[in-house]
Amino acid sequence: MSDDRLAQQIAFLVEADKLKQVIRRTPLADGSRKENSAEHSWHLVLTAIVLREHSADDVDLLRVLEMLAVHDLVEIDAGDTFAYDTQDLVTKAEREQAAADRVFALLPPDEAARLRTLWEEFEAHESADARFANAVDRLQPLLQNASAKGGSWRDYDIDRGQVLQRMAPIERAVPAAWPLVLKIVDEFCASGLLRTSPARTGSDRSA
Amino acid sequence: MSDDRLAQQIAFLVEADKLKQVIRRTPLADGSRKENSAEHSWHLVLTAIVLREHSADDVDLLRVLEMLAVHDLVEIDAGDTFAYDTQDLVTKAEREQAAADRVFALLPPDEAARLRTLWEEFEAHESADARFANAVDRLQPLLQNASAKGGSWRDYDIDRGQVLQRMAPIERAVPAAWPLVLKIVDEFCASGLLRTSPARTGSDRSA
């Protein structure tokens, strides 16, 4: 019985290794290459540990770290969906649910249920733990984009309003970091790497 | 004051990004490339979460995860020291203390002291939390070596006794996994990828 559990857990852990091959849009801080979702997940864990004191709400840090450790596992099947790719975002939920059905189910049922529930809590953005975890997941790539002077927005038609909307969870969950977010975004606008307003006229987007 | 703290924390988190460029000897599970210390650290966090029930002692999982998240940060300056490189191991402690002096000190003093103390606890292998964390740090690379059919031992003159000595923390802290460790090591010996006994005769090593 315990042997079966261990064998299932090991199979899950070996499968999880594939997250190291899922490449994100965010560059490393020195711009030398794009980061993968496994090292990104580690960086979020570290960020949550270090910035916990700035959380607007009381959080259970252990739950936050567990959430961050598993939050991208579905990408093993579903791939990384770029946050500003509206077409890809349409199918994201469906692809990720199917991935969760397979990946978490490698674990013993009780552990699979517990970690999948944590992942769903992260995706729902509702609990204090999930709000803090999501804020951390927004802030770390922004810091790397700032350090690498460009990164994910350079090749896409993205404007200031879109970035600030994407970063909004930071304002609520880690308000102390919001002035820094605005400063980084404004510097990107000033340097011409980010549009100040939407590019297309006559689109259905509002500024 | 709080602004200063946040600026220090952000500087530390951006510096930590460099851990993604420290390459270890261990291959990914599919053997396609060697893993880096950041994605390794994430995998250890996940392994500790999943295998916690097998810990021989009660552990504080939050402390274990924090320990694993910071355990390799000194490698940013000191590099990854191969576990079987006796020459490199002589200078490891000194190089890593110097690295800890610099890297943790980027943080506000209270946070720097707390995380450095956790790293030192990990290195000391004495507390129940550190023993479990170290066992996880032995098991994950072994699983990847097994999956990739070779990895770190192929190019080095390493024998069964050395590997089992290196893996001993697993026997004590996660005894349920020890039969699997023996099975993996014996399969490596049977396939000729690992020496059954020391290669050099007349050396000062005992079998």
Side-chain angles (χ1 to χ4, degrees), chain A residues 5 9 50 53-54 111, chain B residues 5 9 43 50 53-54 111:
Chain A
R5 281 185 71 84
Q9 290 159 333
V50 168
E53 69 189 56
H54 302 291
E111 212 165 24
Chain B
R5 283 185 69 85
Q9 290 159 335
H43 213 164
V50 168
E53 69 189 56
H54 302 291
E111 211 165 24

Side-chain angles (χ1 to χ4, degrees), chain A residues 106-180:
Chain A
L106 295 170
L107 286 166
D110 57 320
E111 212 165 24
R114 189 177 83 80
L115 294 184
R116 183 177 178 147
T117 301
L118 264 179
W119 169 69
E120 285 171 351
E121 182 178 333
F122 175 85
E123 289 292 312
H125 296 235
E126 282 168 9
S127 69
D129 292 346
R131 288 199 307 269
F132 181 59
N134 272 282
V136 163
D137 187 37
R138 300 297 194 275
L139 183 61
Q140 177 261 351
L142 184 74
L143 295 174
Q144 286 176 211
N145 272 328
S147 182
K149 306 256 185 269
S152 7
W153 309 318
R154 297 183 79 151
D155 306 325
Y156 301 87
D157 187 24
I158 293 167
D159 65 62
R160 183 176 189 277
Q162 285 172 289
V163 172
L164 289 183
Q165 189 175 13
R166 171 84 185 150
M167 296 299 149
I170 301 173
E171 185 173 21
R172 176 166 180 190
V174 190
W178 191 243
L180 174 65

Side-chain angles (χ1 to χ4, degrees), chain B residues 108-143:
Chain B
D110 58 322
E111 211 165 24
R114 190 178 81 80
L115 295 184
R116 184 178 178 146
T117 302
L118 264 180
W119 170 69
E120 285 171 350
E121 181 177 333
F122 175 84
E123 289 292 313
H125 296 236
E126 282 168 10
S127 69
D129 292 347
R131 288 199 307 270
F132 181 59
N134 272 282
V136 164
D137 187 36
R138 300 297 194 275
L139 183 60
Q140 178 260 352
L142 183 73
L143 295 174

Side-chain angles (χ1 to χ4, degrees), chain A residues 50-71:
Chain A
V50 168
L51 297 187
R52 173 198 198 165
E53 69 189 56
H54 302 291
S55 174
D57 300 297
D58 278 344
V59 291
D60 179 336
L61 187 59
L62 175 56
R63 294 188 81 249
V64 170
L65 300 191
E66 291 188 309
M67 208 177 271
L68 291 171
V70 304
H71 87 290

Side-chain angles (χ1 to χ4, degrees), chain A:
Chain A
M1 185 66 170
S2 168
D3 278 1
D4 281 356
R5 281 185 71 84
L6 185 63
Q8 288 176 298
Q9 290 159 333
I10 299 287
F12 169 82
L13 290 168
V14 172
E15 180 72 13
D17 183 76
K18 293 180 180 165
L19 196 60
K20 299 167 190 169
Q21 307 208 43
V22 175
I23 307 301
R24 293 164 44 80
R25 300 300 205 291
T26 312
L28 298 194
D30 70 356
S32 58
R33 65 167 170 83
K34 295 200 162 64
E35 73 173 352
N36 68 58
S37 293
E39 58 197 9
H40 161 69
S41 296
W42 162 75
H43 213 165
L44 297 191
V45 165
L46 188 68
T47 301
I49 291 169
V50 168
L51 297 187
R52 173 198 198 165
E53 69 189 56
H54 302 291
S55 174
D57 300 297
D58 278 344
V59 291
D60 179 336
L61 187 59
L62 175 56
R63 294 188 81 249
V64 170
L65 300 191
E66 291 188 309
M67 208 177 271
L68 291 171
V70 304
H71 87 290
D72 269 348
L73 282 175
V74 293
E75 295 182 359
I76 289 173
D77 287 354
D80 178 55
T81 304
F82 187 46
Y84 302 95
D85 185 330
T86 47
Q87 197 154 359
D88 231 21
L89 286 170
V90 171
T91 63
K92 178 175 186 273
E94 194 181 334
R95 282 182 289 116
E96 293 194 344
Q97 288 293 334
D101 287 345
R102 187 187 75 80
V103 174
F104 289 113
L106 295 170
L107 286 166
D110 57 320
E111 212 165 24
R114 189 177 83 80
L115 294 184
R116 183 177 178 147
T117 301
L118 264 179
W119 169 69
E120 285 171 351
E121 182 178 333
F122 175 85
E123 289 292 312
H125 296 235
E126 282 168 9
S127 69
D129 292 346
R131 288 199 307 269
F132 181 59
N134 272 282
V136 163
D137 187 37
R138 300 297 194 275
L139 183 61
Q140 177 261 351
L142 184 74
L143 295 174
Q144 286 176 211
N145 272 328
S147 182
K149 306 256 185 269
S152 7
W153 309 318
R154 297 183 79 151
D155 306 325
Y156 301 87
D157 187 24
I158 293 167
D159 65 62
R160 183 176 189 277
Q162 285 172 289
V163 172
L164 289 183
Q165 189 175 13
R166 171 84 185 150
M167 296 299 149
I170 301 173
E171 185 173 21
R172 176 166 180 190
V174 190
W178 191 243
L180 174 65
V181 171
L182 292 176
K183 181 169 170 282
I184 290 172
V185 170
D186 286 341
E187 284 171 359
F188 270 104
C189 289
S191 67
L193 291 173
L194 180 65
R195 288 182 178 280
T196 304
S197 53
R200 286 184 291 272
T201 55
S203 89
D204 57 356
R205 289 182 303 167
S206 59

